């Protein structure tokens, strides 16, 4: 009988001598370049990076909430590209976080607080905190997201934590057909009917023909200037960026 693989392990990147992939039960979960935290390897993470880069002035600090920590790829990116950003990371898996921080400590001086807890409960606790410019939702156990991410209550709670210019950014890992994206976008639309929505991802995934990740962005005060063009230009390619009527058609169909 074959031995059970370690639950949490790091695999050296074959493309970079300083890159590490975090595996959980043998499934790739996060990637970090220990020498260059601005190197974002996974495609959906690079797309989120472009969203972050479009906010405010280059290098301007942000207040960010990360629901789902993994290997802390995006907190490290924000700390590198926007020094003095104040970040709060929430993850349910304390054992995972302990392993990650032991192998890859957070950068010295970074203003990153880590909380072990359930995201649905924590957002209620954070209601009295100063608002966040950015709330990133990336909550998965392997490829399964908790049911609450498809509820109006959860998405409304996330939107309620945003500053006047804030963005909600959601990683959606989906099967062909985009059922999960539709459910989560519906929850956002019900929570904030006037929010401007954007979805970006691989063109084949957004066509509904292949499984993969898309990124859903909700902007109660409107999308940042130039974000659509930035996402279309920088990819990863082949990229699709949907807003307005084109996004409505993909999410809801002709009606």
């Amino acid at each position: 009988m074959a031995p059970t693989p370690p639950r949490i392990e790091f695999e050296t990147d074959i493309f970079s001598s300083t890159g590490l992939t975090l595996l959980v039960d043998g499934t790739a979960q996060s990637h970090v370049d220990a020498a260059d935290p601005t190197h974002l390897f996974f495609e959906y993470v690079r797309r989120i990076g472009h969203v972050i880069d479009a906010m405010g002035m280059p290098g301007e600090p942000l207040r960010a909430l990360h629901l789902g920590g993994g290997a802390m790829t995006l907190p490290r990116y924000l700390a590198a590209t926007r020094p003095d950003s104040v970040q709060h990371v929430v993850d349910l898996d304390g054992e995972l976080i302990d392993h990650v921080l032991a192998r890859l400590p957070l950068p010295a001086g970074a203003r990153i607080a880590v909380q072990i807890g359930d995201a649905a409960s924590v957002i209620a606790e954070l209601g009295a905190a100063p608002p966040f410019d950015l709330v990133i939702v990336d909550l998965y156990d392997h490829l399964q997201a908790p049911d609450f991410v498809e509820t109006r209550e959860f998405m409304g709670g996330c939107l309620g934590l945003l500053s006047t210019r804030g963005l909600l950014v959601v990683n959606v890992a989906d099967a062909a057909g985009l059922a999960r994206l539709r459910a989560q976008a519906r929850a956002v639309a019900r929570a904030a009917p006037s929010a401007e929505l954007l979805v970006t991802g691989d063109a084949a995934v957004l066509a509904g023909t292949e499984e993969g990740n898309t990124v859903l962005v909700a902007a109660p005060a409107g999308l940042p200037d130039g974000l659509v063009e930035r996402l279309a230009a920088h990819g990863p390619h082949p990229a699709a960026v949907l807003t307005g009527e084109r996004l409505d058609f993909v999410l809801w169909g002709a009606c």
Side-chain angles (χ1 to χ4, degrees), residues 170-206:
V170 186
N171 169 39
V172 185
D174 224 337
L178 302 175
R180 187 175 284 165
L181 173 63
R182 290 191 176 99
Q184 295 187 31
R186 186 177 297 114
V188 171
R190 287 173 174 167
S194 62
E196 192 170 356
L197 301 184
L198 175 152
V199 172
T200 184
D202 184 280
V205 175
L206 279 175

Side-chain angles (χ1 to χ4, degrees), residues 39-106:
H39 173 213
L40 302 178
F41 182 75
F42 289 166
E43 288 191 0
Y44 84 87
V45 181
R46 288 164 63 188
R47 298 184 205 278
I48 293 175
H50 297 326
V51 176
I52 293 170
D53 293 345
M55 297 186 69
M57 298 297 293
E60 178 185 354
L62 300 176
R63 279 186 52 83
L65 172 64
H66 305 262
L67 300 177
M72 310 285 181
T73 306
L74 286 169
R76 298 174 199 274
Y77 180 80
L78 255 174
T81 60
R82 295 173 179 265
D84 296 324
S85 290
V86 177
Q87 304 186 69
H88 193 97
V89 180
V90 178
D91 200 287
L92 184 62
D93 193 335
E95 180 188 5
L96 173 65
I97 296 301
D98 288 344
H99 275 77
V100 166
L101 297 182
R103 180 66 182 269
L104 293 166
L106 293 172

Side-chain angles (χ1 to χ4, degrees), residues 6-7 9 21-30 42 141-143:
R7 179 176 177 273
E9 57 187 332
T21 299
L22 170 65
L23 305 175
V24 180
D25 292 331
T27 300
Q29 203 263 10
S30 300
F42 289 166
D141 181 3
H142 296 85
L143 296 178

Side-chain angles (χ1 to χ4, degrees), residues 203-244:
V205 175
L206 279 175
T209 58
E210 295 184 8
E211 66 179 19
N213 293 69
T214 57
V215 174
L216 169 65
V217 181
L223 295 167
D225 291 340
L227 175 59
V228 172
E229 293 78 10
R230 181 187 294 269
L231 288 165
H234 294 289
H237 298 290
V241 185
L242 304 179
T243 59

